[in-house]
Amino acid sequence: MFTTALRLCVVFWTLNSVCSQQIYIPVQGPAARPFCSSKPAPSEPTYRFSAFSFTLNETLRTATSVANPTTTFTYAQPYESLSHLVPNVSTTTWGSWNPNDTATATDTADAYGTAAWSALWNGANLTNFTATGIYTTTVSPTPVASSELVLPPPEYFGPTDCYSFPEEFVFGVAGSASQIEGAVAQEGRGPTLMEVLETGDKARDYITNENYYLYKQDIERLASMGVKYYSFSVAWTRILPFALPGTPVNQEGIQHYNDLIDFILEKGMIPIVTLFHFDTPLQFFGNLTTVYDDALIGYVNGGYQNETFQDAFVNYGKIVLTHYADRIPFWMSFNEPLLYSDNGKSIDSVVKAHARLWHFYHEDLQGTGKFGIKFNDNFGVPRDPKNESDVYATNWFNEFQLGTFCNPLMLGIDYPESYKTTIPDYVPLSTEDLAYLNGTADFLGIDPYTATVVSAPSYGIQACAANTSDPFFPYCVNQSTITTNGWNIGYRSYSYVYITPTYLREYLSYLYNTWHTPVFVTEFGFPVFAEAEKAVLEDMLFDSPRSVYYQSFMSEILKSIWEDGVHVVGALAWSFADNWEFGDYDARFGLQTVNRTTQERRYKKSFFDLVDFVKARTPDGE
C-alpha cells in the first residue's frame, strides 16, 4: 500500500483561511503519472535490427551574459539633492590598522581622529588577527573565458512544469558584507560583532573572499553567467566607524559602495541592498563579554536592546539611503533580526527603527523603489496534521518568529500571543505606535531554506512559555526532521537544510494569505553534504544535490504564483560563492567554489542549472 499527499485547506488560528500542510491518505498502487496521460503507450513493443553508429551525446551550449543596459532607471534624487535630509554630516578618512604597526597616531586631541579610531580596534582585542590577504587595492576585472561558460551535462530527471516567471519577477544572487568582503580593518572600517563573536579555532571574517577588493571580478563573473540582480549588504562601520549620530562619515566607505553600485549597473545588472546583516558595531556592547551572554530570544546578543541603538541605526540608514537611493530599486532594513534579538527591547528597537526608515524613504526622500525587511523561519509543519495539539504548536512556532514583526509592520495589529506570553519584558505597542507601524513594509522578505517538523512538548506549550529555563524556550515546541512515517522530511545537506520544496509552496501561501503583503524569497540555498571533503575540484563542481534543490524550489515558486495566486516578488540564491559562514568555511552554500589560497572562483554545475532554469521560463529569455 502506498500513500499520497493531499493538500487540505483549514482555518488557521490567526487571521485567514489558507492551505495547510500535507496530510496523508492511504491509496492503492504506485505513484500516478499524469504527464503520460496524453501519450498512450502501444500495447506491445516492436523489436527490430538497425545499423549502429556512435552519435554525439552532448550539446554544446554556453551561458548567456546579461545585455548591456538600454535604460537608466532612477528611484530617487541624487545625493546632492538629498543631502539636506542628513544635515551636518562631516567626512574624513582613517587608513588601515594592524596590531603590529610600530607607528602611533599623534592626533590624540581629536575625538574621532586616527588615534581614536585605532583605539576602537585595540579595544576589540582580536585574536589570531590577519591584517591582509592577497590584495590591498581594487582589482580590475578580466573577461571570463568562454571555456568556463560551457554548460555541464543536464540532470537526467528535470523539472516538468510548463509555467513562466512574470515579467517583473526578480531573480538574482546574494551575499553579505561580513561574509565576503574581508579587509575588516582597512580603509577606515570600524570593528563589529563579527570580528569577536567566534572564539577558539573557528575561522574569522578577517579576509573571507576579499570581495572588498575583488568585487569587480565577482560582478564580471555574475554578469557573464546572465545573472540580473545582485543583492549585497552595506557594512555599517565602513560608513560610520564610530557608529553613532554626529560622528564622521568614512569617505572611503561611501566611495567604495558608490563604485560597487555603479559597476553593477555598468555590467547591465541591478543592485539590491540590505542595510544591516548581523554586523553590529562594537560600540553597542559596553563590556565586550556581553557579546557572549545567552540571548533570551535569538542565538546571539546583537546589541539591539542598547538604548542608543534605534536612533543610531536610523541615522546610519538615512545616510546610506540619501547617498544611494537614486540607483537602488529594492531595500531591506534588517536581515533575520529575530536571530540576534536578546530580549523584548531588541524587538521594539528593530520594529520601530525599520518603520522610521520606511517613512523616511517614502515620505521625506520620496523614493519610488521598494523598502522591506527579511526574516528567518524554517517553516514549521505539524508532525501530525490531524493532531490538534501539533497544529496548535506549529502555528505558535511560526507566529512567534514571523508575527512578532509582521503583525505590526504589515497589518498594524498587536504582537501575537505567542510572543507576548513568552517574553516577559516585551514592550507594549500603543494605538499610536500601531498606526505609525502599519503598512511599513513593501514586501515580506523570507529566507525559507527548509522545513521543520513541529509538535508540542508533552507538558504543554504554556508551561514552557512561563519558564525561561525550559530547554525548548523560547519557541516552546519540539522541532524535528522526522515525519510521522519515520522518514526524514527531505534529503539532508551538510547542515540544517533539507530539500523540502513542496513545503515551500505551502509556506508562501501561508505568508501571503496571513500578512497580505508580496513575498520576496530573499535567501535560499543548500550546502551539499561533505562538499569540503572532496579532494578533486571537479567533484566539488558537479553538485547535483544543489541543482535538485534549486530547480525544485523554483518549480514550486512557479506553482505558488500561477496555481495559488501568491504574489512572489522574486528569489535570490544564497550565495553567489562559498563564503564565511560565521566561523566555518566547510558549510558551502556557494554557486561557485573559492580557493582560499588564490581566491580563484569556479562555477559549479548548480549555477548553470539554476540560471538556465530561469532563462527558459523568462519572457524573451531575458
Side-chain angles (χ1 to χ4, degrees):
M1 177 177 290
F2 294 84
T3 62
T4 189
L6 175 68
R7 298 174 66 219
L8 174 70
C9 285
V10 300
V11 177
F12 272 82
W13 71 323
T14 52
L15 301 169
N16 303 99
S17 176
V18 297
C19 284
S20 167
Q21 293 77 38
Q22 294 174 338
I23 62 172
Y24 294 89
I25 299 175
V27 296
Q28 297 293 330
R33 297 189 294 165
F35 45 84
C36 300
S37 59
S38 61
K39 302 175 182 179
S43 57
E44 294 291 338
T46 301
Y47 303 107
R48 61 193 181 279
F49 291 105
S50 59
F52 169 79
S53 64
F54 289 103
T55 58
L56 180 68
N57 57 14
E58 284 190 316
T59 300
L60 180 63
R61 291 190 299 134
T62 56
T64 304
S65 63
V66 294
N68 290 327
T70 56
T71 304
T72 301
F73 297 97
T74 56
Y75 308 96
Q77 295 296 311
Y79 175 68
E80 292 72 21
S81 300
L82 300 173
S83 59
H84 67 280
L85 297 174
V86 284
N88 304 319
V89 170
S90 64
T91 61
T92 190
T93 58
W94 286 276
S96 300
W97 174 84
N98 188 319
N100 299 318
D101 287 341
T102 57
T104 303
T106 59
D107 57 347
T108 53
D110 186 346
Y112 303 114
T114 300
W117 178 78
S118 298
L120 294 177
W121 282 104
N122 292 330
N125 194 29
L126 304 186
T127 58
N128 302 321
F129 180 73
T130 303
T132 61
I134 301 174
Y135 303 100
T136 56
T137 58
T138 300
V139 176
S140 297
T142 56
V144 178
S146 58
S147 59
E148 265 205 85
L149 298 173
V150 176
L151 271 66
E155 298 296 318
Y156 185 76
F157 292 107
T160 58
D161 63 87
C162 296
Y163 297 115
S164 293
F165 291 103
E167 187 174 352
E168 70 279 7
F169 188 85
V170 173
F171 167 70
V173 296
S176 82
S178 66
Q179 294 178 265
I180 62 171
E181 281 188 355
V184 297
Q186 297 178 35
E187 297 196 358
R189 180 186 177 283
T192 77
L193 171 63
M194 296 295 98
E195 284 79 73
V196 301
L197 184 61
E198 304 303 337
T199 60
D201 59 356
K202 290 187 177 180
R204 307 304 204 276
D205 70 331
Y206 305 153
I207 295 175
T208 64
N209 293 16
E210 296 194 74
N211 171 264
Y212 185 76
Y213 296 122
L214 288 172
Y215 68 89
K216 289 188 176 181
Q217 188 64 41
D218 280 334
I219 298 304
E220 184 79 36
R221 292 183 63 81
L222 297 179
S224 297
M225 281 290 290
V227 173
K228 190 69 174 177
Y229 288 84
Y230 174 59
S231 177
F232 63 95
S233 73
V234 173
W236 185 341
T237 60
R238 282 207 193 277
I239 304 299
L240 289 165
F242 290 88
L244 300 176
T247 61
V249 170
N250 178 21
Q251 186 58 48
E252 288 184 300
I254 290 290
Q255 191 57 49
H256 169 76
Y257 292 112
N258 258 324
D259 293 343
L260 170 60
I261 292 166
D262 286 345
F263 192 74
I264 293 168
L265 295 170
E266 178 185 327
K267 300 308 296 184
M269 297 173 64
I270 299 173
I272 296 173
V273 174
T274 300
L275 291 172
F276 182 74
H277 194 116
F278 295 154
D279 43 358
T280 306
L282 284 187
Q283 286 85 341
F284 299 106
F285 302 93
N287 183 336
L288 285 187
T289 60
T290 62
V291 165
Y292 311 105
D293 289 348
D294 288 336
L296 181 68
I297 296 176
Y299 299 129
V300 175
N301 171 17
Y304 311 160
Q305 73 283 359
N306 184 293
E307 62 182 9
T308 64
F309 181 89
Q310 184 185 151
D311 287 342
F313 180 76
V314 171
N315 173 71
Y316 155 70
K318 287 180 177 180
I319 291 171
V320 174
L321 288 167
T322 53
H323 276 86
Y324 309 128
D326 57 330
R327 289 157 287 168
I328 308 295
F330 292 96
W331 290 91
M332 287 167 270
S333 56
F334 288 87
N335 169 76
E336 301 181 349
L338 187 81
L339 296 184
Y340 279 52
S341 288
D342 179 47
N343 54 22
K345 178 57 179 174
S346 300
I347 301 295
D348 184 70
S349 292
V350 168
V351 168
K352 291 175 180 175
H354 166 85
R356 288 170 64 184
L357 285 177
W358 184 94
H359 283 287
F360 175 81
Y361 176 75
H362 284 295
E363 296 167 6
D364 300 331
L365 191 146
Q366 296 290 300
T368 59
K370 305 295 184 183
F371 192 93
I373 184 170
K374 62 197 291 264
F375 304 114
N376 67 287
D377 177 22
N378 298 321
F379 187 44
V381 296
R383 178 185 57 184
D384 181 356
K386 293 178 287 187
N387 182 303
E388 184 178 336
S389 175
D390 289 349
V391 172
Y392 180 88
T394 301
N395 284 315
W396 182 281
F397 175 77
N398 291 326
E399 281 210 336
F400 184 100
Q401 296 182 84
L402 293 167
T404 298
F405 302 97
C406 296
N407 279 12
L409 294 178
M410 295 166 197
L411 299 178
I413 64 175
D414 200 7
Y415 295 126
E417 288 302 317
S418 55
Y419 171 68
K420 294 194 296 182
T421 300
T422 306
I423 304 305
D425 67 344
Y426 88 90
V427 180
L429 296 173
S430 67
T431 301
E432 292 75 17
D433 288 335
L434 292 172
Y436 183 79
L437 298 171
N438 185 22
T440 56
D442 300 322
F443 58 84
L444 192 170
I446 195 69
D447 300 346
Y449 283 88
T450 193
T452 301
V453 179
V454 173
S455 59
S458 59
Y459 46 86
I461 288 175
Q462 300 300 331
C464 167
N467 178 13
T468 59
S469 299
D470 190 286
F472 289 134
F473 192 91
Y475 303 144
C476 290
V477 300
N478 184 22
Q479 301 177 56
S480 173
T481 60
I482 308 298
T483 69
T484 53
N485 294 318
W487 284 92
N488 271 349
I489 196 170
Y491 180 85
R492 185 180 179 177
S493 72
Y494 175 84
S495 62
Y496 66 92
V497 182
Y498 290 71
I499 300 179
T500 55
T502 56
Y503 291 112
L504 171 68
R505 181 178 172 187
E506 301 288 350
Y507 194 11
L508 297 174
S509 181
Y510 167 74
L511 296 170
Y512 188 58
N513 288 291
T514 302
W515 287 291
H516 298 177
T517 302
V519 181
F520 197 162
V521 178
T522 43
E523 287 182 27
F524 70 127
F526 188 81
V528 173
F529 185 81
E531 187 171 280
E533 298 175 18
K534 295 180 178 178
V536 179
L537 174 63
E538 286 73 21
D539 292 341
M540 296 181 191
L541 300 179
F542 210 104
D543 57 338
S544 288
R546 187 177 285 109
S547 289
V548 172
Y549 175 93
Y550 275 125
Q551 292 183 75
S552 62
F553 270 53
M554 293 299 280
S555 287
E556 291 301 307
I557 288 174
L558 281 169
K559 294 174 187 175
S560 180
I561 293 170
W562 292 104
E563 297 182 21
D564 304 336
V566 175
H567 183 180
V568 183
V569 173
L572 304 172
W574 184 276
S575 81
F576 73 92
D578 292 334
N579 54 39
W580 180 70
E581 281 294 328
F582 309 103
D584 189 6
Y585 281 117
D586 287 345
R588 299 187 177 183
F589 283 86
L591 290 160
Q592 298 177 81
T593 59
V594 177
N595 184 306
R596 295 291 157 200
T597 302
T598 65
Q599 290 292 0
E600 180 187 15
R601 281 71 153 144
R602 287 289 302 275
Y603 300 119
K604 299 179 187 178
K605 180 181 185 298
S606 60
F607 204 167
F608 292 95
D609 290 341
L610 175 57
V611 171
D612 196 53
F613 178 97
V614 175
K615 291 280 186 180
R617 292 160 179 80
T618 301
D620 300 324
E622 296 181 354

